Structures are given as structure tokens and as C-alpha cells.
Amino acid sequence: MARIAVGGIQHETNVFAPYKAGYEVFARRDEWPPMSRGIQMLDEVDGVNLPVAGAIERLKALGHEIVPLLWCSATPSAHVSEEAFERILAMMLETLRDSAPIDGVLLDLHGAMVCAHVADGDGELLRRVREVVGETTPVVASLDLHANISDQMVAEASLLEAYRTYPHIDMAETGARAADHLDLLLKKGLARFPVITTRRTDFLIPPVWGCTLVDPAKSIYQLLHKSIDGEVVGISLACGFPLSDVHEAGPAIVVYGFDEKSVNVAADNLLAELESRENEFSGRLYNAEEAVTEAIRLSTTANGPVILADSQDNPGGGGPGDTTEILRALVSHGAKNAVVGVISDPQAALVAHTAETGAKINISLGGKSGYPGSLPFVAEFTILGVSSGRFRATGPMLAGAEIDLGPTALLEVGGVRVVVGSKPVQTMDQSMFSHLDIDPSRQKIIALKSSVHFRNDLQEVSAAVLPVVSPGPVIVDLSTVPFQEPRLKKLTAKR
Ligand SMILES: [Zn+2]
């Protein structure tokens, strides 16, 4: 039995997003649990589909003692403030120091965190943890599939283990794999695996085309399972998050094992497969007008709703979740049986909560982030219902997590219904509609704030999905991103 310190800080940084992440967004509950420390952390994450939860369960099953540090996450946004990073990390490290002696550390990280004062947030976090526990203690970290794996992260961690699915339904499973790797290191008395190798591509993958339910990502990820044998113990492919605009943003492969030749062959084979399929990471995009026209046409014969994925305003990639251009197009085209969600606008939700159901209110909905091209929708709305915005998720990815959208309201304008919430949260679970008595399967058109994650729960009820390019900072066409980082400028300019 070993004493394992477990904790995590998760943030995906889109430097083009309108808001930064301060301490308070890590502290509060959104679609994930609020910040928690020590024993309280074990209760908060228990049973949630998160790496930290999967890791704790597995480590306990392996007979280890858990020393809970701190766990928190914040909805993707621009940089994490220096104050938030330093304050949260100081709390985590304080518990780590006070808990000595520690035999191993397991961290639940995203891997694409950029702080106001440090570009490689996750690398810096790992470096500071390493500073406390020293070189001889194994430190294993799980990562998001969209991690930007830096050389520093590889150097500081004993092993990095990334999700293999997008939508990320294997988060807890990834935590369990990370726990197995840590257990193996402890059993062998090693701080690191003898062979570690990294590969990078000379192209970027736009996240919207990286869904693992379909090719090319589906078959590429299947290769990972086939690479594991006695000599290759860990293999990860992180597709990267280009909008972090850091030097090492983009796809990276990292492989761990005991035999140099086997490890290198596994890395080279995976890289070769990825490179041979580069051009398949693409597809048709629609602007709001085209998407609505096509959705209305398809919906006359479709068996199930046509989904308009408002990818560029996806809060899961740093979007404010409050642009209204698709809503405007649905209203102007007279779309029938259409619903839009979740638009984040705390002021609008508050107005609805202070009026009666059935009342008409004149409000300016959304468009408040100041993002170029995004305007509020000013109109008379009818209040169809309100809710506390607290409910349990029902889909596989959020797996029963307790969600808090803040006060929500169901409004109607020009025959189109709109779910309005009070926090930017990705629309990825049927419960985000059903808590207001909207059954997604009975709609003709659903416009939602998500790129790919909605597919974990809403794809099965939908007849078609149209990716929409509407104003927002989660820029889909990477050739139009105003990258500052010379390497990323170069990678996107040649295409
Ligand atoms: Zn991700």
C-alpha cells in the first residue's frame, strides 16, 4: 500500500475569448463540481465522470491510501489570471507538503492552460509539484484529448495519459489508466519509465473535425489500443487546442515503455497514420442563413431534429455562449418547432424570474461580450417557464453530474423558443432542455452552443447535424485565426 496524493486543476485556454478566468469561476459549480479540498474533494467528485474520480476508485481498489489535495475546473475562456493560478496552486502544494511522506502523485489536468504570467500553465504546475516531491517520486497526470503537450510537461511528469474519445466519455476511464501506470511504477520502484519519446505533426487539427465517433479520428484512436504490449505501456495522442496560441499547441504523441525499439515503432506508426489522414480533418461548414435554410428544408421530411452546432460560440472552447445570430436567422425565416440553447444571459434570466409565466418582456438578449459581429437580439419575448437551473445530467458524458446553470428561463420569440441560462455552459446534455420540459427528440430544429460534445447525448435523437460558422472566438477555420505565435502562423499560412 502506498500513499498517493491526488488532485487536479483543469482549464482549456482560448486566448481569443472575451473573458479571462479568475478565482471565482474555479470556485463555483457549473457542469462540473465546484472547487473542493481534502476530504470534501472525495465527496464532490465521487461518481462523476472525471479522471480524478476514476483514478481514486482504481487506486483504492489497488489497495492504496488516497491523500486528497484539491480539485477544481473552470469553463474554457481566455487566460487564467495570475492570482487564480497562484492562489489555487499554493493551496494544493500546501496540502502536498503537509502530507509528507508521499509515495506518488496523480494529477487530473487539462493540458491546454495558459496563464496571464506563464504560457505553459500545466508544465509550470507539474514543475512546482515536482519541486515539492523530488525526482524519485512518480508523478502521473491525466490530460484532455485537446491538451497541448509541452516538452516541459513531458520532462516533469513520470507519465501523461490523455483521453481517447471526443466527446470525452472516457474521462473517468482515463483516470483509471493513469492510476494503473502509477501503480506499475510503484511496484517496479521506478520514478519514470526507462523509455519516453514524443512526436509532433507539422499541421494543426481543427477541434470541430476531431470527433472520434467518425473517421479519421475514430480509426486513428483505435491504433492506440493495439500498440500496448509488455514493452509499450503508455501511449497518448493529444490533438491539441490551437486557440491557446502557444508555441507547442497542436497534435502530439507521447509513448512510454521499457524497450526503445518498440516504443519508437509505436510512436512512428501512429504519427505516420495521423499524417496520412491530415486532409480528412475537414468538412462542410454553413453560415447562419445557409444553415437555417437547409435545416428547414431537411426538417420537412427528417425523422428527428436537425441540429445546428453553433461551434464558434461554444462555451466549451471559450465562447461567451451568448451570440444570437442563429436565433435571429431562425426567427427571420419563420422556423417552426425550433429551440435554441443555452444562451447565457444572467440579466435576461433575472428579468424572466421577476415576471409571471406568460408575461411579455422587452429585453435585449445576448450579444453582451462585445465580440466582433455579435449583436444583442432586441425584441418582445414571452416567458414560457423558469427554473433554478440546478438539475442532474442524464447523458453518458456528464453521467449524472449535478449541473448549475444559475437561474434559467424558457422564452419565445417569433415562434422560436430559447433556453436562457446565467453561466456560459456548453449545451451537451438533453437535461439542459428537458429541465424546462423541452423534449429534444420532439423538436424539428435545435440550435445549440457546442462543437462536438453534444453528440454524446443528442446525436442519437437527431436526424442531421450542420456545423455553423457564426460570430464567436472558437474559430473553426484555423487559416483565419490571428495567431501571434510564429510556429502556428507558419503551420496555417501554407494551407
Ligand atoms: Zn477537450
Side-chain angles (χ1 to χ4, degrees), residues 13 15-16 79 111-115 118-121 147-150 153 200 204 241-250 483-489 491:
T13 307
V15 303
F16 306 101
H79 306 78
M113 173 163 63
V114 186
C115 304
V118 189
D120 180 6
N148 293 318
I149 296 180
S150 67
M153 286 160 69
R200 294 181 192 282
L204 301 175
F241 190 63
L243 300 172
S244 295
D245 198 10
V246 291
H247 181 68
E248 288 158 305
F483 287 119
Q484 295 300 304
E485 166 53 44
R487 175 175 166 261
L488 304 187
K489 271 188 194 172
L491 293 187

Side-chain angles (χ1 to χ4, degrees), residues 12 110 144-147 163 165-166 168 241 316 453:
E12 180 180 77
H110 183 289
D144 192 277
L145 175 141
H146 298 108
Y163 310 161
T165 60
Y166 182 32
H168 306 328
F241 190 63
H453 280 327

Side-chain angles (χ1 to χ4, degrees), residues 66-183:
I66 307 294
V67 178
L69 301 175
L70 170 151
W71 187 90
C72 64
S73 78
T75 294
S77 67
H79 306 78
V80 174
S81 74
E82 179 175 353
E83 192 253 344
F85 179 82
E86 295 297 342
R87 194 172 155 194
I88 297 167
L89 187 55
M91 291 193 286
M92 185 188 260
L93 296 180
E94 182 191 22
T95 313
L96 184 60
R97 275 188 213 100
D98 292 350
S99 308
I102 288 292
D103 302 310
V105 181
L106 198 142
L107 297 169
D108 169 1
L109 307 177
H110 183 289
M113 173 163 63
V114 186
C115 304
H117 63 312
V118 189
D120 180 6
D122 298 279
E124 177 65 10
L125 189 156
L126 285 161
R127 189 185 71 77
R128 304 250 199 118
V129 167
R130 182 61 78 190
E131 231 171 43
V132 174
V133 300
E135 284 300 320
T136 54
T137 305
V139 177
V140 169
S142 64
L143 298 175
D144 192 277
L145 175 141
H146 298 108
N148 293 318
I149 296 180
S150 67
D151 289 346
Q152 185 182 19
M153 286 160 69
V154 175
E156 299 293 353
S158 305
L159 180 138
L160 301 167
E161 181 73 32
Y163 310 161
R164 294 174 179 176
T165 60
Y166 182 32
H168 306 328
I169 52 172
D170 68 334
M171 289 183 284
E173 207 179 299
T174 303
R177 285 201 307 276
D180 284 336
H181 295 311
L182 180 56
D183 182 64

